[in-house]
Amino acid sequence: MNINGTIPPFICDLNNLTVLDCFNNSFTGMFPVALFNCSKLQFLDLSQNLFVGFIPDDIDRFSRLSSLNVSGNNFTGNIPAAIGRLQKLKELGFDQNKFNGTFPPEIGNLSNLERLSMAYNGFLPSRLPSSYTQLKKLKWFWISHSNLIGEIPEAIGEMVALERLDLAGNRLTGNIPTSLFMLKNLSVLYLFKNRLSGEIPRVVEALNLVEIDLSDNNLTGTIPVDFGKLRKLSLLKLFYNQLSGEIPQSIGRLPALIDFSLYSNNLSGVLPPELGRYSKLKTVEVSSNRLIGRLPEFLRNGGNLAGVAAFDNNLNGELPEWLGNCSSLLIVSIHVMHLQEIFLLVYGQLSI
């Protein structure tokens, strides 16, 4: 409603108020401590406003809160340790502020927490507190672009309820924990743009995975054959790593695969011959590898194919005629020395 000014203290004259939702307005000023007088408040959403200053050290006066969201403001300083005493919290949102302290380990005491977001803040370079792995009910865990350093703790595999994990855009190092790919409920895994190294875990039992983005790291070794078991996988991004070996042929048979980006690695062999046969691929990006052979014939069956980037490889044979029949195709970038019989018409951009 674009309401500005401050939240009036008299709102707590509503003695039975349990929900206060001020999302997406233009409220200003410091954290509205007058709301401590709303003794029955359970849900407080102050997100997407213009609040400034600190979160009060006695934030635990909201003893009944199950949801607190202050994301999208200009709060700064530390997140107070007292937050760990709000034992009824299920949702906690601190993302997109200007917090510049450290990650309070006391959050690990919130045993009922299901959703935690602290992304896009200027925290001091800090390790992920090991206490956070005690959050056994946590489903949504979002701490991207927040100066995380060090390794991802192996105990993260004990967070059995995790459905979405986003630690992208930090400075994490070390290996990807093997336990991470054992989480049965995990559907989204974003670890891109870190400094992770070593191999991708070989054994994958997280069969509910829908999106995997491990791009822009220092990963080595081969792509796990077990990725071919991920029948729900729609997005696989592994570009800007140092992966080698062949692409498992079983990935070409994944029925839900839409976005497939493996460029700028050291992959060899042929593209999975059945790539596009069972799924409606939209993007295929495999440039800057050492691939040989032809573009898979079944890519033409996708129907939604919008982009093919395969330059800087050793592909050979004829340029497929089906490229000219893909009405949704916007970008073709091949740049190959060995392709023959270049004859096609596409609406959009063609780079050969």
Side-chain angles (χ1 to χ4, degrees), residues 3 167 200:
I3 303 171
L167 304 179
I200 302 171

PDB file of all heavy atoms in Angstrom, residues 3 167 200:
ATOM      1  N   ILE A   3       2.586   2.582   2.319  1.00  0.00           N
ATOM      2  CA  ILE A   3       2.429   3.343   3.564  1.00  0.00           C
ATOM      3  C   ILE A   3       3.811   3.771   4.050  1.00  0.00           C
ATOM      4  O   ILE A   3       4.753   2.979   4.060  1.00  0.00           O
ATOM      5  CB  ILE A   3       1.735   2.487   4.631  1.00  0.00           C
ATOM      6  CG1 ILE A   3       0.379   1.988   4.108  1.00  0.00           C
ATOM      7  CG2 ILE A   3       1.564   3.258   5.932  1.00  0.00           C
ATOM      8  CD1 ILE A   3      -0.279   0.961   5.007  1.00  0.00           C
ATOM      9  N   LEU A 167      23.935 -22.041  -0.798  1.00  0.00           N
ATOM     10  CA  LEU A 167      25.115 -21.424  -0.204  1.00  0.00           C
ATOM     11  C   LEU A 167      25.977 -20.790  -1.289  1.00  0.00           C
ATOM     12  O   LEU A 167      27.193 -20.643  -1.135  1.00  0.00           O
ATOM     13  CB  LEU A 167      25.925 -22.472   0.569  1.00  0.00           C
ATOM     14  CG  LEU A 167      25.200 -23.246   1.673  1.00  0.00           C
ATOM     15  CD1 LEU A 167      26.131 -24.263   2.314  1.00  0.00           C
ATOM     16  CD2 LEU A 167      24.624 -22.312   2.718  1.00  0.00           C
ATOM     17  N   ILE A 200      32.998 -34.501  -7.169  1.00  0.00           N
ATOM     18  CA  ILE A 200      31.586 -34.552  -6.793  1.00  0.00           C
ATOM     19  C   ILE A 200      31.334 -35.928  -6.194  1.00  0.00           C
ATOM     20  O   ILE A 200      31.800 -36.938  -6.745  1.00  0.00           O
ATOM     21  CB  ILE A 200      30.683 -34.330  -8.025  1.00  0.00           C
ATOM     22  CG1 ILE A 200      30.995 -32.982  -8.674  1.00  0.00           C
ATOM     23  CG2 ILE A 200      29.212 -34.400  -7.631  1.00  0.00           C
ATOM     24  CD1 ILE A 200      30.301 -32.774 -10.016  1.00  0.00           C
TER      25      ILE A 200
END
